[in-house]
C-alpha cells in the first residue's frame, strides 16, 4: 500500500508539473498515424502474456524464448495488411534485470549483419536479441518465402523496445528488399554518442548504442519507418541527460497530454527535439511508463484474442 501511495503521490506531483509545461504545447498527427501507434502498442502489450494465441485476431506464427536471457516474444502474421510482426517482451523476470545492467558498449555483431562501421551497442540488449536472432530470422524468412511481398514490423515496450530497435535493424539487414518498420514504446533507446566505450561504461549508461548505431538505424530503415513513442512524462526514455553524451534516434511521437488522442500527439523533429519529451525532467520509471495510447501494458487479454 505504501508503494502504491508513493506512486500516486509521484504521479500527482510530476503530473502537475508536466501539465503546466505542456499547456502551450502544439501538436496533432494524422488519424492513420495515431491508429498505427495504437495498433502496435497492443502488439507490444500482447508480448507480456504467457501465450498470445491470436495477436489482434491474427495468426500466431510462433512464440520464442531463450531460457538463459529470458528474451521472449512472438511472431504474428496479418494476412489482411500483408505484414509480419515481431513483438518483443519488456522486463518481467530477474534475468531481465541482468540484461538491463550489462551496460558495456560492444561492437554491433549479429547474424546476417555486415558493414556496421563504428556502431557499438549495449552488451545486454545485444546479447538478449542475439539469443533469439537465428530463430526469429529463420521463421521470418520462411514466412516471406510463403508470403512474398509482405512487410515486417519490429515492436516492443520498455526493454522490449530496445531489443526491437536492434531487431528492426537486424531484420532489415537480413531482408534488404523488404520494408521494415519499427514501433517502440517507452524504451531504453537513448543512443550514446560517446566515442569511448570504456568511458561510457565507467559512467554507467545502460542504453542501446552509440552514434554510429543511431546513424545505421536511420539510414538502413529510413526515418519515415521509425516510430519512437513517449507517453507524457514517462521518465525512462529521458532518464540519462544529453549532457552525458546521449541522444535518441528519430522519430519521436510524443503524447504530450491526456487523454490519448491524435490531437494530443506531436511528431517531433530530429532526434532530440527540445519541445518534446526532452523538455520534461525525468522521474525514472513512473506510472506514465506502464500505459501507452490508452493501453495498460500487459493487462488487456483481448489483445491476444481479437481487436
Amino acid at each position: 500500500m505504501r508503494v502504491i501511495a508513493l506512486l500516486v503521490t509521484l504521479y500527482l506531483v510530476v503530473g502537475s508539473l508536466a501539465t503546466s509545461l505542456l499547456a502551450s504545447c502544439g501538436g496533432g498527427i494524422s488519424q492513420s498515424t495515431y491508429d498505427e501507434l495504437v495498433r502496435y502498442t497492443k502488439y507490444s502489450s500482447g508480448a507480456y502474456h504467457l501465450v498470445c494465441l491470436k495477436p489482434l485476431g491474427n495468426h500466431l506464427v510462433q512464440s520464442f524464448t531463450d531460457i538463459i536471457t529470458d528474451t521472449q516474444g512472438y511472431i504474428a502474421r496479418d494476412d489482411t495488411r500483408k505484414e509480419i510482426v515481431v513483438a518483443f517482451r519488456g522486463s518481467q523476470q530477474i534475468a531481465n534485470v541482468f540484461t538491463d545492467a550489462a551496460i558495456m558498449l560492444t561492437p554491433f555483431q549479429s547474424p546476417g549483419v555486415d558493414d556496421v562501421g563504428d556502431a557499438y551497442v549495449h552488451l545486454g540488449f545485444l546479447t538478449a536479441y542475439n539469443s533469439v536472432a537465428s530463430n526469429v530470422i529463420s521463421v521470418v524468412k520462411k514466412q516471406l518465402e510463403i508470403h512474398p511481398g509482405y512487410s515486417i514490423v519490429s515492436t516492443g515496450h520498455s526493454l522490449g523496445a530496445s531489443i526491437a530497435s536492434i531487431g528492426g535493424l537486424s531484420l532489415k539487414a537480413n531482408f534488404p528488399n523488404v520494408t521494415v518498420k519499427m514501433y517502440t514504446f517507452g524504451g531504453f533507446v537513448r543512443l550514446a554518442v560517446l566515442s569511448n566505450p570504456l568511458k561510457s561504461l565507467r559512467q554507467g549508461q545502460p542504453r542501446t548504442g552509440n552514434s554510429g548505431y543511431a546513424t545505421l538505424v536511420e539510414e538502413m530503415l529510413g526515418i519515415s519507418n521509425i516510430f519512437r513513442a513517449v507517453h507524457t512524462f514517462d521518465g525512462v526514455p529521458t532518464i540519462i541527460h544529453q549532457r552525458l553524451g546521449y541522444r535518441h534516434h528519430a522519430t519521436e511521437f510524443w503524447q504530450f497530454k491526456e487523454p490519448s488522442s491524435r490531437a494530443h500527439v506531436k511528431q517531433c523533429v530530429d532526434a532530440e527535439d527540445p519541445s518534446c519529451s526532452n523538455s520534461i525532467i525525468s522521474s525514472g520509471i513512473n506510472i506514465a511508463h506502464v500505459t501507452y495510447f490508452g493501453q495498460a501494458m500487459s493487462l488487456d487479454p483481448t489483445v491476444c484474442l481479437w481487436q
Side-chain angles (χ1 to χ4, degrees), residues 231-280:
H231 176 212
T232 58
F233 57 93
D234 181 354
V236 170
T238 54
I239 200 168
I240 303 296
H241 199 277
Q242 291 182 73
R243 287 195 299 267
L244 297 178
Y246 279 68
R247 74 173 180 89
H248 279 301
H249 60 57
T251 300
E252 179 183 347
F253 288 80
W254 184 38
Q255 183 193 324
F256 58 87
K257 185 179 179 181
E258 303 290 4
S260 179
S261 72
R262 72 174 188 87
H264 295 162
V265 179
K266 178 179 180 179
Q267 180 173 342
C268 307
V269 178
D270 299 324
E272 290 286 358
D273 189 334
S275 67
C276 287
S277 67
N278 193 43
S279 64
I280 301 299

Side-chain angles (χ1 to χ4, degrees), residues 155-222:
T155 189
H157 168 261
S158 194
L159 168 63
S162 294
I163 302 175
S165 175
I166 294 175
L169 177 56
S170 166
L171 289 165
K172 184 62 178 180
N174 279 274
F175 307 105
N177 297 321
V178 176
T179 298
V180 178
K181 293 186 177 182
M182 179 195 302
Y183 286 81
T184 61
F185 305 92
F188 297 111
V189 291
R190 186 170 287 275
L191 306 173
V193 298
L194 295 171
S195 60
N196 185 344
L198 293 179
K199 180 179 180 182
S200 180
L201 173 63
R202 289 196 301 270
Q203 292 181 330
Q205 299 161 354
R207 294 301 179 263
T208 304
N210 66 354
S211 60
Y213 173 77
T215 300
L216 195 62
V217 170
E218 293 174 354
E219 290 182 349
M220 289 193 65
L221 272 73

Side-chain angles (χ1 to χ4, degrees), residues 115-171:
D115 301 322
V116 299
D118 62 346
Y120 280 73
V121 292
H122 180 287
L123 175 61
F125 300 153
L126 180 64
T127 301
Y129 174 71
N130 281 348
S131 70
V132 297
S134 294
N135 181 40
V136 168
I137 293 167
S138 176
V139 173
V140 171
K141 180 180 180 181
K142 186 173 297 184
Q143 288 297 306
L144 290 173
E145 290 173 349
I146 301 172
H147 305 281
Y150 277 39
S151 61
I152 301 172
V153 176
S154 182
T155 189
H157 168 261
S158 194
L159 168 63
S162 294
I163 302 175
S165 175
I166 294 175
L169 177 56
S170 166
L171 289 165

